[in-house]
Amino acid sequence: MTTGQHRAAQPETGPQDDEQLPTIAEQMADQLGGWRGLVESSIPVVVFVIANIIGELRPAVIASVAVALVIAGLRLAQRRPIRHAINGLFGIGIGAAIAWRTGNERDFYLPGILYGIGYGIALLVSAAIRQPLVGWIWSVLVAKGRAEWRDDPKLVRTFTQLTVLWGVVWLAKVGVQAGLYLAHQDTALGVARLALGYPPYALLLLITVWTVRRVTREPQPTPLPGA
């Protein structure tokens, strides 16, 4: 086999491979739903917090659910992706149902707190058993279902470290909310829900995408002549 034939038989690498992987901005925009997704997912909670401060619990619950339904309806009418709107509506609906039943405004945030605790624990457990959840999520959302990272010790270590980071940050932010919940600080809990929602999530996404791209693009060591 000639040198030219050998080169032709090898899979091409370079710019084409880079094009297959979305940019950091594209990956973050997809997960966050863009600026519109960020705003729309926050509006129902803002409405609940404000309406509950100036009025009563049940009108606040009705207002927040109504706004979430309107947002989902607008997206559907405009034929835009409604995944983020449906997720937000689902979370708002459960919290609203519990708060309506108990008559306690702080219970509006209880499902999010419980979900955060469970998610944080799941992240740390997956890292402990060497099945880092961030790695599997990366496979589904970015690598189109491929999981070649399992065969790369460096990537396994990277995803394990990232999963621990996600778990610690998630438990820390939900711990703040749980503390405010137990202290009956209802208004502060609403503010914390907003402040500790997307900002830490966006930062973790940025760190994750940047770290994985840096590791996967590190040049392989060149074998020594005669080795």
Side-chain angles (χ1 to χ4, degrees):
M1 180 181 295
T2 65
T3 303
Q5 291 174 329
H6 177 70
R7 289 179 179 174
Q10 290 180 338
E12 294 183 1
T13 59
Q16 292 183 353
D17 288 340
D18 292 342
E19 293 176 1
Q20 294 176 0
L21 184 64
T23 65
I24 293 178
E26 290 171 339
Q27 293 176 52
M28 292 187 66
D30 178 68
Q31 292 309 302
L32 296 175
W35 285 110
R36 177 171 176 173
L38 285 171
V39 172
E40 289 178 348
S41 63
S42 301
I43 288 176
V45 180
V46 173
V47 169
F48 176 83
V49 173
I50 295 176
N52 191 57
I53 290 175
I54 64 178
E56 297 180 353
L57 172 63
R58 293 198 171 185
V61 168
I62 294 173
S64 63
V65 173
V67 168
L69 285 171
V70 168
I71 291 173
L74 286 175
R75 274 193 166 267
L76 190 61
Q78 296 171 355
R79 298 183 178 180
R80 291 178 176 270
I82 61 172
R83 172 167 58 96
H84 299 285
I86 293 299
N87 290 342
L89 178 60
F90 183 73
I92 291 292
I94 294 178
I98 295 176
W100 186 282
R101 183 178 181 84
T102 64
N104 194 329
E105 61 190 75
R106 67 194 179 111
D107 288 337
F108 179 83
Y109 309 102
L110 183 58
I113 293 174
L114 296 178
Y115 168 79
I117 293 173
Y119 186 52
I121 292 175
L123 285 164
L124 295 181
V125 170
S126 71
I129 63 175
R130 302 291 290 175
Q131 294 291 332
L133 190 56
V134 171
W136 291 112
I137 293 174
W138 180 274
S139 294
V140 173
L141 298 180
V142 179
K144 300 180 180 180
R146 300 189 303 272
E148 288 89 346
W149 62 270
R150 291 294 305 165
D151 300 322
D152 188 336
K154 182 181 291 186
L155 276 176
V156 172
R157 184 167 60 251
T158 297
F159 279 124
T160 299
Q161 294 169 348
L162 288 170
T163 301
V164 171
L165 175 64
W166 276 75
V168 170
V169 171
W170 219 262
L171 289 177
K173 75 171 191 172
V174 80
V176 172
Q177 296 178 57
L180 293 172
Y181 176 88
L182 295 175
H184 298 267
Q185 299 294 322
D186 301 334
T187 302
L189 179 56
V191 174
R193 165 73 177 269
L194 295 172
L196 298 177
Y198 274 111
Y201 185 49
L203 180 59
L204 286 171
L205 273 177
L206 179 62
I207 292 173
T208 299
V209 173
W210 179 83
T211 302
V212 175
R213 288 168 68 91
R214 180 179 60 82
V215 171
T216 54
R217 288 180 176 178
E218 284 182 355
Q220 298 296 324
T222 305
L224 296 174

